[in-house]
Amino acid sequence: MGEEKALPTHIGIIMDGNGRWAKKRGLPRNFGHRAGANTFRTIARYANQIGLSYLTFYVFSTENWKRSQEEVSGIMTLLRNYLDEMDAYAGENIKVKFWGNLQALPEDIQQKMKRAEKETENATGVQLNLAINYGGRADIVQAAKQLMTLAKEGKMDPNEVTEDVFRRFLYSEEVPDVDLIIRPSGEYRLSNFLIWQSAYAEYVFMDILWPDFKPASLDAAISEYQHRSRRFGGV
Ligand code: IPE
Ligand code: IPE
Ligand code: MG
């Protein structure tokens, strides 16, 4: 038996490669998103099984609105269906949170999100954070706006704004910084995901398309993470 290494506390996953997965099969892009949603279901439950504390999925970026109306509405339909399935999460002890500019999403989706957050708020298993209409820069800007409003109202002294104060205004609130960011699809970039929260993250880039990602792929990424030496600027 090998030495038991600690799991990362917080993993972020950039779910990329759905379009290419569909293209390889001669299918429309939205078939790739449907397959990607299935992978998401599997990985979310697996993370709960292995006892992970926080898992943040990049579902839809502030830049993804550039895609065709057909593709965007296909993604919103998948999201709606998935939100309905979340009724089962409270019973499975899975907690969900949504990070992003949610007000720009269709009203019914916002209602479903509120319901899912409320229903699962007391769960103590994995916390799934779904980054939807999320951008790392937008996250920082909305936090700055909240602080400036408080300052204007005389409720916050600018001299008291430390990194620790600032971080509580981010969508991630009390969730600890991300330890490991996994990006499948063969791209080597962050694409505006968790910019603040990833300052000292480890990155694992994988040459696999998201719909093909398996629990074993997550195990492999975690195992690579466990072999890294994190120094946080120390020695
Ligand atoms: C990720 O897959 C899903 C979203 C960004 C919504 P892509 O749709 O970006 O897949 P590729 O990169 O085109 O293969
Ligand atoms: C990042 O993937 C966004 C999500 C996975 C939601 P993209 O496919 O949008 O990123 P780029 O365009 O390749 O950088
Ligand atoms: Mg992509």
Side-chain angles (χ1 to χ4, degrees), residues 3 14 21 34 46 59-60 100 105 110 113 122 160 171 181 187 193 198 201 210 217:
E3 182 195 344
I14 301 173
W21 184 91
R34 196 188 298 166
Y46 182 63
V59 178
F60 193 86
L105 296 169
Q110 291 184 49
M113 286 174 167
N122 296 319
E160 281 169 13
Y171 293 125
I181 289 188
E187 308 294 354
F193 189 43
S198 65
W210 175 248
S217 320

Side-chain angles (χ1 to χ4, degrees), residues 15-20 29 64 67 183 185 187 189:
M15 303 191 282
D16 196 21
N18 295 349
R20 277 163 281 179
R29 295 182 58 83
N64 286 147
R67 299 185 179 200
R183 182 164 192 158
S185 91
E187 308 294 354
R189 54 179 172 260

